[in-house]
Amino acid sequence: MINRTKWLSVPGLVWLGIFFFIPLLLVTVLSFMERGTYGQVVYSFTLQNYVRFFDPLYVSILFDTLVVSVLTTLLSLMIGYPLAYYIARMDKKWQHTWLLAVMIPFWINFLVRSYAWVVILRTQGVVNTFLQSLGLITEPLPLLYNFGAVMLGMVYTLLPFMVLPIYVSLEQMDRRKLEAAYDLGATPLKAFWHVTLPLTRPGIVTGSILVFVSSIGMFVVPDVMGGAKSALIGNVIQNQFLSARDWPFGSALSIILMLLCIVLIFLYYRVIRVQEREGGVE
Amino acid sequence: MKTIIHLQNVEKQFADQVVIPPFSLEIIGGEFLTLLGPSGCGKTTLLRMIAGFEQPSSGEIFLDGKPIKDVPAYKRDMNLVFQHYALFPHMSVEDNILFGLKMKKVPSAEQKRRLDEVLTLTHLTELRKRKPAQLSGGQQQRVAIARAVINNPKVLLLDEPLGALDYQLRKNLQLELKNLQKNLGITFIYVTHDQEEAMSMSDRIAVMNRGVIEQLGTPQEIYLRPSSLFVAKFIGENNIFSQENSHLAVRPEKIKVYKKDANPELHQKTGEIVDVVFLGSLQKVFIRLDGSEETIVLAHENSEATHAWQAGERVGIGWALQDEVKLP
């Protein structure tokens, strides 16, 4: 059977080979090259690009990026879990409607959605004009181009990545296990904490990784909603390729970011697995 | 002989459909009561109402004299053993069993003592560190039982606990469960569709059909004196003879088969043997009665009987008057 079905993997492997592994190889090679005076790539080996990363400027941007990504993940989890729980508990026919509502934003171009937020939040935007016309404020509130706006945009964009996997794991959970917990004297809150939460952990893990990885490389949201002040590592990389024309340094930053993601996800899994092994109720 | 659970005019409706019409039932402390009936007869719904997972549409349930209809499941002093065990897959055997005591914040020394006791009782001591996925079906069932009895509930509810196990294992666990119930002195309310299981374990059986308790009695009463046609047909094998407005039931082991010419004064009916099935200690003789094409009578004959019955043989059948049960 395995021999006969392995051909099914060929299209996927070819696709990944051409559009993932080869570009990755190119980026890796580029990251060890030098930049010429006019922005061209000079093919001589150097580690300079990696050394340059340790400039406090870039390290602090990376640190900011990590803070934003971790916060985005936590906020998405805090908003996404209750939402997924609510959806999973309702009538089947309503579940489909709600899941559709969660996914509909995906159908509209990402850039358009980000600019829609600008229209809503800017100084003469919908929110400020409305509040002013009510006489609640005299000066427009600074709603855009700050840290809060970036967080709002990030969580808004990435929330479905959290909701969907958590919904799936809640949906698959055997409700009788919850009844068993009640039967053994667990209050609804304790039953949730000791049974529902651990049993939906796979959904939480998947959702968190999807949101975290997506937010760590995000450059559109901070660009459009964060303004010049809140550059994240994604913006720096984008700049190296498009504005600064320093492809080798951009490549090096990409590789560092990727390695960092791999290490963090690995550590995350380690922590999760240790918790699983300990299991039980304290 | 004290009533521990009293169901008073309890009724259950689902979406305006009456599933269980109003009925009352008293369950005696320390007894092994079985709710027996075909699937869909309402026995599991009845059990879930007692456990607190379903709310009766009307009526009241008393536990030890106190009304519990509005008490949530987690505050009721009884435990349920689920049909598919419902063990917590992320916890070890030990943690599964201790779950109830931890929820009730029982001191840890007491927890440990009771855990050891229950592990010994259910032969799980060696498996205490395993996860449910590493256990066989029978072992998982033991964990489910241990997890319930460690709480010393006043009543233990069991929802087809042996349904998913193979025949031999079920036989062994039936005995173990019966012994456990005797040793602990806890009231067992046991749901099953397997009449053999019900007969071999119960003090009393409530035979249910379409939401109604057709008969409540000891296994002997149910078997020997069925009170309705449904009970007579559902429990064991039976021969039903239709009369004008009523039915007559005679168990196969009470039917005597005679050679056509012998003892004609004892014949009540005559017929022809259509099939003989050898089952070791007994043989089943199927007889088509004269005058009706469909009526087949089943008689159990001792295999060591002097005469070997053959298909096609003309016979007479008879039974003693005290062995027939008149049914409405």
Side-chain angles (χ1 to χ4, degrees), chain A residues 81 85 89 169-170 173-202 204 279-281, chain B residues 86-91 95-96 99-100 103 147:
Chain A
Y81 199 102
Y85 191 87
R89 279 298 185 93
S169 63
L170 277 164
M173 198 188 104
D174 183 359
R175 291 286 289 279
R176 283 170 301 202
K177 306 226 185 310
L178 211 52
E179 286 187 348
Y182 294 145
D183 184 71
L184 293 164
T187 59
L189 197 68
K190 279 185 167 177
F192 174 79
W193 185 254
H194 293 301
V195 177
T196 309
L197 205 57
L199 290 184
T200 52
R201 188 178 272 164
I204 298 173
V281 182
Chain B
L87 299 179
F88 305 127
H90 56 296
M91 296 180 201
D95 287 325
N96 262 285
F99 190 87
M103 289 303 116
R147 187 175 69 169

Side-chain angles (χ1 to χ4, degrees), chain A residues 5-49:
Chain A
T5 53
K6 79 175 174 192
W7 297 105
L8 295 174
S9 69
V10 168
L13 286 179
V14 169
W15 184 273
L16 281 177
I18 296 175
F19 297 109
F20 179 71
F21 288 110
I22 294 178
L24 185 65
L25 203 67
L26 286 177
V27 169
T28 314
V29 171
L30 268 181
S31 72
F32 292 106
M33 298 297 120
E34 277 174 33
R35 176 185 185 264
T37 329
Y38 306 106
Q40 78 278 32
V41 177
V42 177
Y43 291 93
S44 66
F45 181 85
T46 176
L47 288 173
Q48 195 49 45
N49 298 312

Side-chain angles (χ1 to χ4, degrees), chain A residues 11 19-20 26 65 68 79 110 118 135 193 212 214 240 249 255:
Chain A
F19 297 109
F20 179 71
L26 286 177
T65 308
V68 168
I79 300 169
F110 176 39
V118 174
W193 185 254
F212 182 78
S214 307
Q240 297 311 313
F249 184 50
I255 298 288

Side-chain angles (χ1 to χ4, degrees), chain A residues 39-236:
Chain A
Q40 78 278 32
V41 177
V42 177
Y43 291 93
S44 66
F45 181 85
T46 176
L47 288 173
Q48 195 49 45
N49 298 312
Y50 287 93
V51 176
R52 199 175 144 198
F53 164 76
F54 291 97
D55 185 318
L57 173 69
Y58 298 116
V59 173
S60 86
I61 288 179
L62 184 70
F63 182 76
D64 288 348
T65 308
L66 285 178
V67 170
V68 168
S69 301
V70 168
L71 274 177
T72 303
T73 310
L74 285 177
L75 267 173
S76 302
L77 182 62
M78 280 157 60
I79 300 169
Y81 199 102
L83 179 61
Y85 191 87
Y86 176 69
I87 297 175
R89 279 298 185 93
M90 64 174 68
D91 231 341
K92 262 279 174 286
K93 59 171 191 245
W94 284 108
Q95 285 189 12
H96 294 298
T97 316
W98 273 80
L99 286 177
L100 205 65
V102 170
M103 282 185 290
I104 278 178
F106 277 135
W107 303 355
I108 302 161
N109 182 288
F110 176 39
L111 209 57
V112 173
R113 279 186 286 143
S114 301
Y115 278 110
W117 274 112
V118 174
V119 174
I120 294 169
L121 297 178
R122 67 182 168 175
T123 317
Q124 306 85 19
V126 179
V127 175
N128 275 321
T129 3
F130 180 69
L131 290 178
Q132 271 176 314
S133 70
L134 284 180
L136 289 171
I137 51 169
T138 47
E139 290 292 303
L141 298 172
L143 298 175
L144 205 57
Y145 307 127
N146 53 33
F147 181 73
V150 173
M151 287 310 297
L152 174 79
M154 293 283 239
V155 173
Y156 162 76
T157 309
L158 300 175
L159 192 59
F161 291 116
M162 187 64 90
V163 174
L164 295 178
I166 293 177
Y167 165 79
V168 169
S169 63
L170 277 164
E171 171 69 8
Q172 286 171 347
M173 198 188 104
D174 183 359
R175 291 286 289 279
R176 283 170 301 202
K177 306 226 185 310
L178 211 52
E179 286 187 348
Y182 294 145
D183 184 71
L184 293 164
T187 59
L189 197 68
K190 279 185 167 177
F192 174 79
W193 185 254
H194 293 301
V195 177
T196 309
L197 205 57
L199 290 184
T200 52
R201 188 178 272 164
I204 298 173
V205 172
T206 310
S208 302
I209 287 177
L210 283 176
V211 170
F212 182 78
V213 170
S214 307
S215 60
I216 211 169
M218 179 75 78
F219 60 88
V220 175
V221 169
D223 208 31
V224 175
M225 295 176 72
K229 281 174 287 179
S230 18
L232 298 185
I233 196 76
N235 303 88
V236 176

Side-chain angles (χ1 to χ4, degrees), chain B residues 41-264:
Chain B
C41 72
K43 54 193 193 299
T44 294
T45 306
L46 174 49
L47 193 77
R48 288 172 60 84
M49 284 198 287
I50 299 174
F53 295 125
E54 304 281 353
Q55 182 86 337
S57 307
S58 64
E60 184 56 86
I61 301 173
F62 299 90
L63 173 65
D64 242 358
K66 290 183 211 69
I68 55 164
K69 195 176 101 176
D70 299 313
V71 177
Y74 60 88
K75 285 187 187 155
R76 296 191 185 190
D77 199 1
M78 49 179 116
N79 288 105
L80 175 60
V81 176
F82 288 80
Q83 187 171 12
H84 298 283
Y85 324 134
L87 299 179
F88 305 127
H90 56 296
M91 296 180 201
S92 64
V93 167
E94 237 175 29
D95 287 325
N96 262 285
I97 297 174
L98 284 174
F99 190 87
L101 298 186
K102 282 180 174 162
M103 289 303 116
K104 283 167 209 122
K105 300 210 162 54
V106 172
S108 65
E110 166 93 0
Q111 281 185 23
K112 204 191 160 302
R113 189 183 60 73
R114 272 156 77 173
L115 174 68
D116 288 339
E117 207 176 283
V118 168
L119 284 172
T120 315
L121 199 66
T122 48
H123 316 293
L124 286 167
T125 312
E126 252 99 88
L127 307 171
R128 58 197 294 170
K129 296 291 178 200
R130 296 236 193 129
K131 287 274 174 74
Q134 297 167 300
L135 302 178
S136 70
Q139 291 166 338
Q140 290 187 32
Q141 186 54 76
R142 283 209 183 85
V143 178
I145 291 164
R147 187 175 69 169
V149 299
I150 196 171
N151 302 293
N152 281 333
K154 286 180 180 154
V155 178
L156 188 66
L157 311 168
L158 302 103
D159 185 9
E160 307 225 13
L162 309 180
L165 303 173
D166 63 62
Y167 183 78
Q168 199 50 49
L169 197 56
R170 232 161 59 205
K171 291 271 146 219
N172 297 340
L173 279 171
Q174 278 172 20
L175 274 178
E176 278 187 35
L177 267 177
K178 183 69 198 164
N179 287 332
L180 194 70
Q181 192 257 345
K182 270 191 214 149
N183 295 338
L184 296 172
I186 301 176
T187 311
F188 274 37
I189 305 180
Y190 193 98
V191 161
T192 183
H193 64 266
D194 181 343
Q195 42 140 326
E196 208 183 313
E197 199 167 284
M199 299 291 267
S200 61
M201 299 167 83
S202 320
D203 294 321
R204 286 198 302 165
I205 299 174
V207 184
M208 290 187 71
N209 183 32
R210 294 195 206 153
V212 176
I213 297 180
E214 296 252 348
Q215 187 172 3
L216 176 66
T218 63
Q220 289 81 356
E221 283 164 4
I222 300 266
Y223 186 82
L224 297 173
R225 294 283 150 211
S227 64
S228 73
L229 191 59
F230 174 81
V231 177
K233 281 181 176 169
F234 188 72
I235 308 290
E237 292 175 308
N238 223 335
N239 296 298
I240 311 287
F241 300 102
S242 301
Q243 293 177 323
E244 272 158 39
N245 289 320
S246 62
H247 296 89
L248 210 60
V250 187
R251 294 282 175 194
E253 65 271 20
K254 304 294 184 191
I255 301 246
K256 300 267 182 299
V257 186
Y258 305 101
K259 285 185 199 169
K260 194 172 178 283
D261 312 321
N263 313 328

